[in-house]
Amino acid sequence: MNYPDHEWSLIIFNILGDLSVGVFVALGIVHFYAARKTDAKQASQLSTRALLVLGPILVLGMLAVLGHVGNPERMFNMLSNLDTSWLAREVAFYGAFLVVGGVFAVLQAITLLSPAQQERLPEGFRKALPTLRPILAWVAALLGLAFVFSAAMIYYDPRLAARQTGWAHLYTPILFFADTGMLGALALGVGFVGNYLWLQRKQKEPGAKETLSIQEGLLRDAIQGASFVSIALIGVLFVTIPIYLVSLGAENNNLNEAILDMLHTDFAMLWFLRLFLAFTGAGILSAFAWYLAVRPQRRQRLFYLMIVGAFVCVLASEVIARYLFYGRNAVLLIGGM
Amino acid sequence: MAQYGFYVDLNACIGCKACQMACKDRAGNEPGINWRRVIEVGGGEWRQSGTSWTPDIFAYFLPTACHHCSNPPCLPVCPTAAISKDDNGIVKINVEQCIGCHYCEWACLWGAPQFYEDRGIVDKCDFCKDIVDAGGSPACVEACPMRAMEWGDIEELRASHPGATFAVVPLADPQDFGPNSTYTAHVASTDRVGEILNQEEI
């Protein structure tokens, strides 16, 4: 039995990719909500900086995945078989998400410029922005979700089912989408807290007080949503995991036996940590964050700490989950014995 | 159009691994990379009769390589379209196109595609395509001192060896991939199931 230590590049790529898509989609929902509740300017104050952080994260993910392939300089060859290869589709959707999302982020960043600076832009371009932005946002979100789906299908692919019994289960797509949702929601929560603290430091500017109180309201609403999403998704995962394990045990073959054996021998501690951290982060800490978010005058610091703690626990749990995920492939068997 | 394949009589194979070495020699493969592998399978137990114990054991050898499947799982999953199947059914990897993503390795049930750390690509048995196209025989078949191996149109091989099968221990159930290798099972394996004895080596 081998440990999947050579798969760190894939683990990092998948987590950063899923996190970015999750944040992008969650940002879209929050932005839409904030624009309806307050106005476009306030919504932009809340979400644009978080959006700009995604670019470097996605580029980092791309660099990480190059560590997995033997000939990174030929990476564009990976787009040659979109017809039948989920891996080719994953790469294509990731690239497209990065490009379209990037263009959208640049257009969105214009809202952070001062009115005088915005005046200098060509008039036609300025007029087109309100139409262009939502279209790009929708396209980028769909491309991102298509990336997560393709990434899950790489492992869920029935053509791999004979060999990769640990992957060819509905647990795989559920794990990928739950990751996207939980990491996205909680990372966005952390981003919003950071954004709010940054706005707080600029309190001396005229009109800042009013902005700050509106932003605090939005922040609390957003955290309520993020906590709710992560609690709901950890519920889904905790229902799926036992079903997955039972179905591995029910189908009696050597591969499944080897996988189950790994989970209660070599990987037992990691498996426990994965479940413990997921429950603590997405369950307990998220519930506390939600509780503090609905009671505005309660302890600010503790409130921020809960969200950051929940994110850190879920991130650590997901890293372990992906490590175990590739561990299930490390049972190299020739001829099924 | 033919579909080439291999036939091996497991009763004739003595496990000398000349096929494995001839393959390595022809392909120029370093230690650790084996396009053809010889699996040692064995089993049995001690039996008591009266006051004495006697070993009742068996062993046989099973040469295996890429089975050039009719419906190869490695081919459609490759993101670079580097894997192709030619007119003779030979499944080949274009190493100039391959980026070494390992995906074909994950898909193959029999461990045929293998990663080259130094070159950053995956490659596997190509049925000695250059030799076969020039009218010769694959290196492994040529090298067998027991004449246990044959190659050719798989349908003809199956027809000329009635009872030949792919269902030999320890080869995995081929699902619907259609592997084009066939074996005359070893007599010892008809009623007993052995296990792989040289896991470290293969």
Side-chain angles (χ1 to χ4, degrees):
Chain A
M1 214 276 305
N2 305 306
Y3 288 91
D5 291 329
H6 51 286
E7 304 293 17
W8 277 110
S9 48
L10 281 184
I11 295 169
I12 294 169
F13 167 73
N14 273 301
I15 290 203
L16 293 183
D18 288 0
L19 183 146
S20 304
V21 172
V23 168
F24 192 90
V25 173
L27 259 178
I29 296 167
V30 170
H31 188 92
F32 179 71
Y33 167 82
R36 281 187 60 176
K37 199 177 174 189
T38 58
D39 57 55
K41 191 164 174 290
Q42 289 292 349
S44 169
Q45 280 283 343
L46 180 76
S47 61
T48 306
R49 279 177 211 92
L51 182 67
L52 293 176
V53 178
L54 289 185
I57 293 180
L58 281 167
V59 173
L60 201 69
M62 204 168 71
L63 292 178
V65 82
L66 293 180
H68 169 75
V69 300
N71 265 303
E73 68 276 14
R74 297 182 189 165
M75 62 182 279
F76 287 105
N77 288 2
M78 289 186 100
L79 301 171
S80 307
N81 195 14
L82 292 168
D83 280 357
T84 60
S85 173
W86 282 107
L87 183 53
R89 291 170 194 162
E90 181 207 36
V91 172
F93 283 128
Y94 190 87
F97 173 62
L98 180 62
V99 171
V100 178
V103 173
F104 169 71
V106 169
L107 296 188
Q108 190 65 24
I110 291 173
T111 58
L112 293 179
L113 299 175
S114 68
Q117 284 169 319
Q118 290 188 33
E119 280 295 311
R120 265 181 256 153
L121 297 167
E123 199 188 337
F125 177 66
R126 258 183 297 148
K127 280 197 174 149
L129 279 180
T131 337
L132 209 54
R133 277 200 202 107
I135 295 173
L136 284 176
W138 272 103
V139 172
L142 291 176
L143 287 169
L145 290 172
F147 154 73
V148 177
F149 181 73
S150 314
M153 284 306 291
I154 288 175
Y155 307 96
Y156 185 62
D157 195 325
R159 289 169 297 204
L160 260 71
R163 164 89 184 275
Q164 311 295 355
T165 54
W167 289 347
H169 189 277
L170 212 55
Y171 174 65
T172 298
I174 291 176
L175 172 75
F176 277 56
F177 276 103
D179 258 17
T180 306
M182 285 195 294
L183 286 173
L186 293 174
L188 191 63
V190 173
F192 281 170
V193 167
N195 186 49
Y196 178 74
L197 293 176
W198 188 79
L199 287 173
Q200 225 174 16
R201 284 178 54 191
K202 289 181 39 177
Q203 228 172 2
K204 284 178 195 131
E205 287 176 18
K209 262 242 155 84
E210 193 198 347
T211 305
L212 210 58
S213 94
I214 296 173
Q215 287 292 324
E216 200 203 332
L218 290 177
L219 169 70
R220 288 183 181 278
D221 289 355
I223 300 284
Q224 279 178 48
S227 322
F228 177 78
V229 167
S230 71
I231 292 168
L233 288 176
I234 197 65
V236 171
L237 264 186
F238 274 41
V239 169
T240 317
I241 289 170
I243 296 174
Y244 168 66
L245 293 177
V246 167
S247 72
L248 276 185
E251 210 180 301
N252 190 20
N253 67 43
N254 294 331
L255 280 166
N256 287 355
E257 267 175 38
I259 292 165
L260 289 172
D261 188 52
M262 261 161 42
L263 286 180
H264 66 251
T265 54
D266 299 30
F267 286 148
M269 195 61 205
L270 281 178
W271 185 231
F272 167 76
L273 260 181
R274 184 274 193 275
L275 297 176
F276 177 77
L277 287 171
F279 184 72
T280 308
I284 299 173
L285 296 182
S286 291
F288 269 119
W290 184 81
Y291 175 81
L292 292 168
V294 291
R295 285 166 181 75
Q297 53 286 64
R298 293 285 173 95
R299 317 164 155 198
Q300 291 279 44
R301 282 216 175 146
L302 190 67
F303 172 52
Y304 302 149
L305 206 65
M306 284 299 145
I307 271 293
V308 174
F311 172 68
V312 170
C313 285
V314 169
L315 182 64
S317 168
E318 292 308 326
V319 170
I320 299 173
R322 292 304 172 103
Y323 184 82
L324 293 168
F325 184 81
Y326 289 109
R328 292 198 275 280
N329 153 266
V331 201
L332 177 71
L333 299 167
I334 292 197
M337 278 192 92
Chain B
M1 258 182 286
Q3 165 65 61
Y4 285 168
F6 292 109
Y7 162 79
V8 189
D9 180 354
L10 300 185
N11 293 299
C13 176
I14 55 167
C16 69
K17 298 171 190 170
C19 53
Q20 189 173 312
M21 293 317 292
C23 171
K24 283 176 84 78
D25 190 36
R26 182 249 157 195
N29 283 330
E30 298 286 318
I33 302 246
N34 293 311
W35 287 358
R36 184 164 282 286
R37 300 174 165 110
V38 178
I39 304 175
E40 298 179 21
V41 189
E45 59 198 346
W46 287 91
R47 283 194 194 283
Q48 186 177 19
S49 69
T51 53
S52 68
W53 289 83
T54 49
D56 177 21
I57 54 174
F58 69 96
Y60 61 90
F61 302 93
L62 186 134
T64 174
C66 172
H67 302 301
H68 300 274
C69 298
S70 300
N71 180 22
C74 59
L75 190 151
V77 301
C78 172
T80 68
I83 305 180
S84 59
K85 197 164 165 64
D86 75 3
D87 290 346
N88 291 319
I90 297 172
V91 177
K92 193 164 168 21
I93 298 181
N94 175 359
V95 293
E96 301 301 320
Q97 180 76 5
C98 171
I99 67 154
C101 73
H102 304 266
Y103 202 21
C104 53
E105 279 185 84
W106 291 354
C108 178
L109 266 175
W110 302 284
Q114 288 161 57
F115 187 68
Y116 289 68
E117 291 284 349
D118 52 343
R119 294 158 64 199
I121 50 108
V122 173
D123 207 356
K124 63 165 199 67
C125 162
D126 63 353
F127 217 95
C128 289
K129 185 173 160 48
D130 49 345
I131 302 176
V132 169
D133 284 350
S137 296
C140 53
V141 177
E142 277 288 283
C144 180
M146 301 306 292
R147 292 291 174 255
M149 294 181 75
E150 293 173 28
W151 72 278
D153 184 326
I154 190 70
E155 289 312 323
E156 287 173 16
L157 290 173
R158 284 180 184 133
S160 58
H161 299 285
T165 174
F166 190 77
V168 285
V169 174
L171 294 181
D173 177 4
Q175 320 277 325
D176 57 353
F177 302 147
N180 291 301
S181 295
T182 190
Y183 299 88
T184 293
H186 193 270
V187 285
S189 68
T190 50
D191 56 347
R192 291 192 289 187
V193 177
E195 55 187 73
I196 298 175
L197 302 178
N198 62 339
Q199 192 81 59
E200 297 289 309
E201 181 190 333
I202 56 172

